[in-house]
């Protein structure tokens, strides 16, 4: 389950910012505000998706769930503007994606 797929500027991120960094009806672990304050320019081809996101503080690690059950994790990234990306090529299509704050 701990497969590191992307480094530095590439990581997956949720398109549902209101969900506190999680997709698919999951809830955030705490009531603290999310480290990712905004995202734009979402694109999803079914197997690959990208978004431009701003991390305001702390560290954020992205995740992507693929249709074959594979979970892909991005590198921990800090404050700044990042191009997040998830790629399920070879693992089916993107089922879910989001981020975990630290």
């Amino acid at each position: 389950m701990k497969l590191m797929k992307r480094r530095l500027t590439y990581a997956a991120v949720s398109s549902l910012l209101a969900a506190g960094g999680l997709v698919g009806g999951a809830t955030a672990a705490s009531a603290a505000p999310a480290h990712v304050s905004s995202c734009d320019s979402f694109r999803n081809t079914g197997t690959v998706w990208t978004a431009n996101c701003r991390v305001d503080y702390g560290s954020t690690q992205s995740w992507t769930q693929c249709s074959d059950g594979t979970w892909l994790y991005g590198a921990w990234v800090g404050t700044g503007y990042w191009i997040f990306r998830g790629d399920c090529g070879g693992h089916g299509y993107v089922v879910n994606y989001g981020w975990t704050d630290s």
Side-chain angles (χ1 to χ4, degrees):
M1 184 169 141
K2 299 265 185 199
L3 175 65
M4 183 66 71
K5 183 67 177 179
R6 297 288 172 207
R7 301 262 182 219
L8 298 175
T9 60
Y10 295 112
V13 73
S14 171
S15 65
L16 299 176
L17 294 174
L22 300 172
V23 179
T27 57
S30 70
H35 296 268
V36 176
S37 64
S38 64
C39 293
D40 59 37
S41 303
F42 286 96
R43 182 181 167 144
N44 188 342
T45 66
T47 56
V48 177
W49 69 270
T50 60
N52 299 328
C53 298
R54 178 169 304 283
V55 177
D56 285 340
Y57 66 97
S59 297
T60 300
Q61 180 189 39
S62 64
W63 54 265
T64 303
Q65 180 184 10
C66 302
S67 61
D68 73 351
T70 300
W71 287 78
L72 308 173
Y73 295 89
W76 286 98
V77 296
T79 304
Y81 195 68
W82 301 91
I83 300 172
F84 292 129
R85 183 176 192 266
D87 184 352
C88 285
H91 298 287
Y93 56 89
V94 175
V95 172
N96 226 350
Y97 52 93
W99 70 85
T100 302
D101 294 333
S102 164

